[in-house]
DNA sequence: CTATGGTATGAGGAATTCCTCGCTTTCTGG
DNA sequence: CCAGAAAGCGAGGAATTCCTCATACCATAG
């Protein structure tokens, strides 16, 4: 038997302009379909239909259903990371807590309240391949590193363990926003959520500062 | 056509002792299977096999696959609620924060680190029917009410909005433990997680107490 | 205009899965 | 011991889903 070319090999490089647009059409359609139907019922046929393509065409751009999910999820992580990086790029010297904390929390919360249903499908319902987890953890470490620098440079703060504190700050923001997103909307608004997280973290950081005196 | 008896009607009342054991065998098997295979690949055939029964027998006890999931999830919620209630049943007067907060957080964390994989399947991967959400929210409200009473009765605390603070305390515990559970294990241990959550909440509550003076 | 290869089609094969239903085995009260 | 009820069985129907492949369209370079 002659070795046939591996199936599941999506087109390597889109050649024509049309192809790039089609790829994006598929991703947009998939986002809608997954948000509306969930992971299991978000079938490739439905995605094709929503993109006004045939299933065959979808499989020219993605080797299988999971790769579509993965592409969407990675894009979301990258977008989040960029947003957070921007919010943490404080120019003020010194960078006081209030210069960056509320803005960062608000930005992160906004990003996640935009399409809660899709977010849930991408990061809870669906299996998370190692590649996705790696990218996610990397993004979190990057954010924690930046936060640590900001904490160190704040003269009104004198933290014994800024690295640890930074990790906790990131974890708290991430998990509380996450919790808010995965609940039914309408409980509290983003603004209130932001205020509560900020209050919590400010109290925590101020207390941590006196820790060694205890 | 004669009206045939509704299908999907599990046996109303187990008559024999054997039947009650069988039902429990199915639930135990399902817990293992779901933990090992996830929601989608946790098939009824596999559950039957794990319970050393035939599929037909499984369907004598549960009308469909989802009802097995629901039963497991409700049981978990009830168990959690009972554990939290017990931890919050402080007899000491006055009930200082340190009398109940660390124990409660530790109990809740322990409960969830016991079988993280199953927990994820039950509460993240699977669709959550309204009935489940209702029970969950009720449990949270009950916990928040009890916490509020404890906060009010603590003379070293003078909180302007104990109800709001209690809700936040519950939300923080819930979401941080949840986050810890849904991550790869081995990052930090339960003890450390507990300490961090307690530090965070103690700082928050002490700061909230002075809020009105600001 | 035509040849070449990029792009699109969609019926249907292969695999899975949920659940049913006619039947058998096991139990128990009289 | 026996009759009727409870419990258990498991092949297979019906429905879905992922993905392939033989075929056809279309854009552009020469």
């Amino acid at each position: 038997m002659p070795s046939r070319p591996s199936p599941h090999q999506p087109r390597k490089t889109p050649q024509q302009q049309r192809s790039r647009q089609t790829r994006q059409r598929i991703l947009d359609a998939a986002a809608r379909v997954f948000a509306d139907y969930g992971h299991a019922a978000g079938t490739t046929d439905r995605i094709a239909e929503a993109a006004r393509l045939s299933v065959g065409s979808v499989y020219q751009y993605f080797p299988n259903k999971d790769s579509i999910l993965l592409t969407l999820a990675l894009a979301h992580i990258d977008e989040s990371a960029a947003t957070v990086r921007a919010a943490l790029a404080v120019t003020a010297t010194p960078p006081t807590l209030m210069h960056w904390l509320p803005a960062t929390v608000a930005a992160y919360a906004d990003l996640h309240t935009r399409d809660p249903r899709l977010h849930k499908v991408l990061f809870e319902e669906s299996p998370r391949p190692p590649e996705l987890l790696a990218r996610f953890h990397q993004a979190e470490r990057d954010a924690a590193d930046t936060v640590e620098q900001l904490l160190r440079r704040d003269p009104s703060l004198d933290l014994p363990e800024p690295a640890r504190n930074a990790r906790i700050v990131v974890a708290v923001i991430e998990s509380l926003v996450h919790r808010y997103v995965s609940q039914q909307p309408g409980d509290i608004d983003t603004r209130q959520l932001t205020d509560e997280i900020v209050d919590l973290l400010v109290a925590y950081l101020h207390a941590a500062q006196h820790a060694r005196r205890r």
Side-chain angles (χ1 to χ4, degrees), chain A:
Chain A
M1 260 194 263
S3 72
R4 54 176 176 177
S6 156
H8 284 227
Q9 196 64 19
R11 187 189 334 291
K12 268 139 202 161
T13 319
Q15 302 290 335
Q16 304 182 1
Q17 176 66 18
R18 176 170 54 142
S19 148
R20 248 159 290 156
Q21 292 175 341
T22 304
R23 197 189 130 91
Q24 194 52 51
R25 267 230 318 279
I26 295 172
L27 288 173
D28 293 344
R32 264 176 293 148
V33 168
F34 283 128
D36 290 349
Y37 294 88
H39 172 78
T43 69
T44 49
D45 284 2
R46 259 195 260 266
I47 293 172
E49 190 191 343
R52 274 172 299 155
L53 282 172
S54 71
V55 233
S57 295
V58 169
Y59 280 92
Q60 294 248 334
Y61 293 88
F62 297 92
N64 52 52
K65 179 179 162 175
D66 283 341
S67 76
I68 304 179
L69 256 310
L70 181 62
T71 305
L72 287 175
L74 288 176
H76 176 89
I77 289 182
D78 289 347
E79 191 190 354
S80 290
T83 304
V84 168
R85 247 197 316 277
L88 289 174
V90 188
T91 53
T93 48
T96 314
L97 267 191
M98 283 308 174
H99 276 130
W100 56 270
L101 189 56
T104 305
V105 175
Y108 195 72
D110 273 346
L111 205 65
H112 283 77
T113 44
R114 204 178 295 155
D115 196 345
R117 179 82 188 104
L118 176 62
H119 189 271
K120 206 167 77 176
V121 172
L122 290 181
F123 296 98
E124 295 191 13
E125 271 184 31
S126 306
R128 287 170 273 185
E131 186 182 350
L132 183 63
L133 291 177
R135 189 94 134 243
F136 182 74
H137 288 138
Q138 185 59 49
E140 271 198 347
R141 274 195 300 273
D142 290 348
D145 287 347
T146 310
V147 167
E148 181 187 347
Q149 294 315 313
L150 291 172
L151 293 179
R152 282 183 189 282
R153 286 167 48 211
D154 186 338
S156 67
L157 245 41
D158 179 28
L159 297 166
E161 298 177 282
R164 199 174 83 97
N165 299 325
R167 281 202 309 277
I168 291 174
V169 165
V170 170
V172 166
I173 295 174
E174 216 276 323
S175 62
L176 283 178
V177 169
H178 205 264
R179 176 196 154 91
Y180 174 61
V181 163
S182 70
Q183 284 194 167
Q184 318 288 31
D187 254 342
I188 51 172
D189 61 328
T190 306
R191 173 62 196 270
Q192 201 177 332
L193 175 73
T194 304
D195 288 349
E196 280 172 2
I197 296 177
V198 169
D199 284 352
L200 186 66
L201 291 177
V202 168
Y204 167 69
L205 291 170
H206 283 157
Q209 169 177 229
H210 303 299
R212 58 174 126 185
R213 293 186 208 157
R214 276 195 228 154

